[in-house]
Amino acid sequence: VERTSDGGSVTIFIDCLKPVPRLLLFGSQNDVEPVSRLGREAGFEVVVASPRGAQTSNSTFPNAHEVVASHPTDIADHADELTYAVVMSHNLIDDQLALETFLEETAVSYIGLMGPRERFEDLREELDAEGTTLTADQLDRVSTPVGLDIGGGEPVHIALSIVSEALAVHNGRSGGRLKDVEGPIHDRIRPPMPSRRERTATAGRSPGRLAKDALASLAFASAGQSCYTDIIGSSTFLIGREYDISYTR
């Protein structure tokens, strides 16, 4: 990107690094492994939470970044604001407890629940009997049956369906076919053009000062992302996370 003002011009390379999303898999059956493998390859930090201490060895799930033993009521300890969860223990009671914990104690926006619709209705009936009725907002966070409709019943097909849906939600996409999408298929970051007032204010400034001002402007334009920028012919660089900006020479 080239920025020009009355005080001079500067060329900046921009490489935006978004925080890594987490794929939290609650379960320990064999179908967890292909989900963890594809999740890792798709760029997720994969955490496998094995209920009640079963199969917590990293050798069981070698593609996971972390394997932990977790009671379903403690699952919130492994979730953050960038977590996408899949509940797949195949135990109705454990799944119910994990789902309740995700909905009530975390802000996880995507909770995939393995199993058919009838199983989820059974789970809801159990919750209703205990005096817990899921709100519309909570139901919006639950995806069941989990995954996109891509067909196939092999474990890898199911895993691909699950990871694809989680990735689509993370990217704010519907998961449809690209041929039906109008416009660019990838997001583009466009730095703001300086106003006349900004161009006037930078007149007479040194190249180093101009470079820092340009970097600050671009950092604000990329709020919510982590960005690394490098200026040609200068040792100045910036690392910014939202509005937390630091300069190093």
Side-chain angles (χ1 to χ4, degrees), residues 116-137:
R117 292 182 179 86
E118 293 77 9
R119 186 173 186 271
F120 181 55
E121 291 306 317
D122 292 340
L123 190 151
R124 289 184 65 183
E125 289 178 4
E126 289 292 332
L127 292 175
D128 287 338
E130 297 174 2
T132 300
T133 301
L134 300 183
T135 66
D137 288 341

Side-chain angles (χ1 to χ4, degrees), residues 8-249:
S9 63
V10 61
T11 300
I12 305 172
F13 288 121
I14 305 173
D15 185 13
C16 288
L17 305 176
K18 297 182 179 180
V20 177
R22 174 177 296 174
L23 185 63
L24 177 55
L25 308 176
F26 178 72
S28 58
Q29 301 298 323
N30 293 335
D31 56 354
V32 172
E33 169 52 26
V35 179
S36 66
R37 174 171 58 83
L38 293 180
R40 182 170 188 144
E41 292 181 358
F44 287 98
E45 176 197 8
V46 179
V47 177
V48 174
S50 180
R52 307 187 189 280
Q55 299 187 24
T56 55
S57 170
N58 286 83
S59 61
T60 306
F61 305 106
N63 291 290
H65 293 86
E66 184 179 8
V67 181
V68 298
S70 177
H71 189 274
T73 57
D74 298 326
I75 195 66
D77 296 341
H78 309 289
D80 59 20
E81 67 277 7
L82 281 177
T83 294
Y84 301 84
V86 182
V87 178
M88 50 190 308
S89 77
H90 301 284
N91 180 294
L92 187 62
I93 296 177
D94 283 350
D95 283 358
Q96 176 183 327
L97 292 172
L99 180 63
E100 284 185 274
T101 303
F102 277 127
L103 291 175
E104 296 177 0
E105 299 182 19
T106 77
V108 173
S109 60
Y110 171 85
I111 307 167
L113 179 63
M114 184 74 82
R117 292 182 179 86
E118 293 77 9
R119 186 173 186 271
F120 181 55
E121 291 306 317
D122 292 340
L123 190 151
R124 289 184 65 183
E125 289 178 4
E126 289 292 332
L127 292 175
D128 287 338
E130 297 174 2
T132 300
T133 301
L134 300 183
T135 66
D137 288 341
Q138 288 176 325
L139 289 173
D140 284 343
R141 296 164 60 191
V142 180
S143 180
T144 187
V146 63
L148 298 181
D149 182 13
I150 62 174
E154 296 296 322
V156 68
H157 300 156
I158 297 171
L160 180 60
S161 171
I162 293 172
V163 173
S164 295
E165 183 180 41
L167 186 62
V169 172
H170 173 65
N171 290 328
R173 301 300 178 94
S174 65
R177 302 179 68 184
L178 286 177
K179 65 176 294 183
D180 299 326
V181 176
E182 296 183 1
I185 62 174
H186 299 294
D187 295 331
R188 288 172 167 76
I189 298 176
R190 298 182 181 277
M193 296 301 295
S195 64
R196 181 182 180 85
R197 180 179 180 181
E198 290 173 331
R199 292 195 300 270
T200 302
T202 57
R205 293 184 183 178
S206 66
R209 177 66 182 181
L210 178 64
K212 287 188 175 184
D213 290 343
L215 285 169
S217 176
L218 288 169
F220 277 95
S222 59
Q225 302 181 36
S226 299
C227 291
Y228 170 84
T229 60
D230 189 13
I231 300 178
I232 295 178
S234 172
S235 60
T236 302
F237 67 88
L238 170 150
I239 298 176
R241 173 79 179 265
E242 294 184 351
Y243 298 107
D244 181 14
I245 303 170
S246 59
Y247 296 100
T248 304
R249 292 192 64 85

